[in-house]
Amino acid sequence: MKLTTKGRYAIIAMVDLAMHGDASPVPLRDVSNRQNISLSYLEQLFSKLRLSTLVKSIRGPGGGYILDKDASEINLYQIITAVDENIDQTQCGGAMNCNNDKPCLTHFIWLDLNKKINDYMKGITLNDIAISKDVKNIIYKREKIYVASHQE
């Protein structure tokens, strides 16, 4: 199974929150505008992220969301599983019944790949992404394009 939009958007939104939520809560509308993700979709994702204690919601004027832990303590695997995403490369979902109720010949290869993917995702934190040169370059390019397109 591939990582779906749900998992990708959850990670993108959480990185945005990590980058913008130091001083005060971040309204989901701001995340929606910056990342071009539907507000209603973000509300669904953040409901799950809140239940998994990865974010806290702050109500009232100036409210929004903040990380419930330091960005260096939240890894991508936690985010993906919080939004009910499952990265499973087996055809049988790990039930070992993919070939007439028995495992296929390559079942253990896919299980090993699952472990490698999960370990990789566990090894990357929000902080790792937020301080990445690649992310900083993307932000610079976005802002440069935005400024250039509004100078007409």
Side-chain angles (χ1 to χ4, degrees), residues 34-98:
R34 279 191 295 267
Q35 303 308 326
N36 198 26
I37 302 171
S38 157
L39 180 59
S40 62
Y41 198 66
L42 283 175
E43 289 168 346
Q44 293 171 32
L45 293 175
F46 271 74
S47 173
K48 292 179 180 192
L49 293 166
R50 188 179 51 76
L51 290 173
S52 296
T53 65
L54 296 179
V55 297
K56 289 181 187 175
S57 63
I58 309 298
R59 295 183 180 268
Y65 283 88
I66 59 172
L67 297 177
D68 199 13
K69 302 173 185 159
D70 189 78
S72 64
E73 297 175 17
I74 300 174
N75 64 52
L76 301 186
Y77 180 81
Q78 292 170 301
I79 297 167
I80 291 167
T81 56
V83 296
D84 302 326
E85 190 74 72
N86 183 11
I87 303 174
D88 183 2
Q89 303 306 310
T90 64
Q91 291 180 343
C92 61
M96 298 182 68
N97 62 357
C98 38

Side-chain angles (χ1 to χ4, degrees), residues 3-10 41 45 85:
L3 183 63
T4 67
T5 303
K6 187 186 335 181
R8 290 178 193 275
Y9 283 0
Y41 198 66
L45 293 175
E85 190 74 72

Side-chain angles (χ1 to χ4, degrees), residues 1-148:
M1 177 185 294
K2 285 176 50 175
L3 183 63
T4 67
T5 303
K6 187 186 335 181
R8 290 178 193 275
Y9 283 0
I11 290 171
I12 290 168
M14 288 289 285
V15 170
D16 186 285
L17 190 64
M19 295 179 75
H20 294 96
D22 286 343
S24 60
V26 177
L28 286 185
R29 181 169 307 287
D30 293 355
V31 177
S32 173
N33 291 336
R34 279 191 295 267
Q35 303 308 326
N36 198 26
I37 302 171
S38 157
L39 180 59
S40 62
Y41 198 66
L42 283 175
E43 289 168 346
Q44 293 171 32
L45 293 175
F46 271 74
S47 173
K48 292 179 180 192
L49 293 166
R50 188 179 51 76
L51 290 173
S52 296
T53 65
L54 296 179
V55 297
K56 289 181 187 175
S57 63
I58 309 298
R59 295 183 180 268
Y65 283 88
I66 59 172
L67 297 177
D68 199 13
K69 302 173 185 159
D70 189 78
S72 64
E73 297 175 17
I74 300 174
N75 64 52
L76 301 186
Y77 180 81
Q78 292 170 301
I79 297 167
I80 291 167
T81 56
V83 296
D84 302 326
E85 190 74 72
N86 183 11
I87 303 174
D88 183 2
Q89 303 306 310
T90 64
Q91 291 180 343
C92 61
M96 298 182 68
N97 62 357
C98 38
N99 188 352
N100 296 323
D101 288 332
K102 294 182 178 76
C104 65
L105 293 176
T106 57
H107 183 82
F108 295 99
I109 292 170
W110 309 127
L111 284 180
D112 190 41
L113 181 57
N114 288 345
K115 182 178 179 344
K116 289 181 186 321
I117 291 170
N118 290 339
D119 289 346
Y120 177 76
M121 298 303 258
K122 288 176 184 176
I124 301 172
T125 67
L126 289 176
N127 191 58
D128 295 335
I129 298 169
I131 65 171
S132 160
K133 285 183 183 177
D134 291 331
V135 169
K136 292 185 187 313
N137 286 334
I138 289 168
I139 291 169
Y140 173 76
K141 287 178 183 176
R142 279 184 174 182
E143 289 174 358
K144 187 175 175 184
I145 291 168
Y146 177 79
V147 169

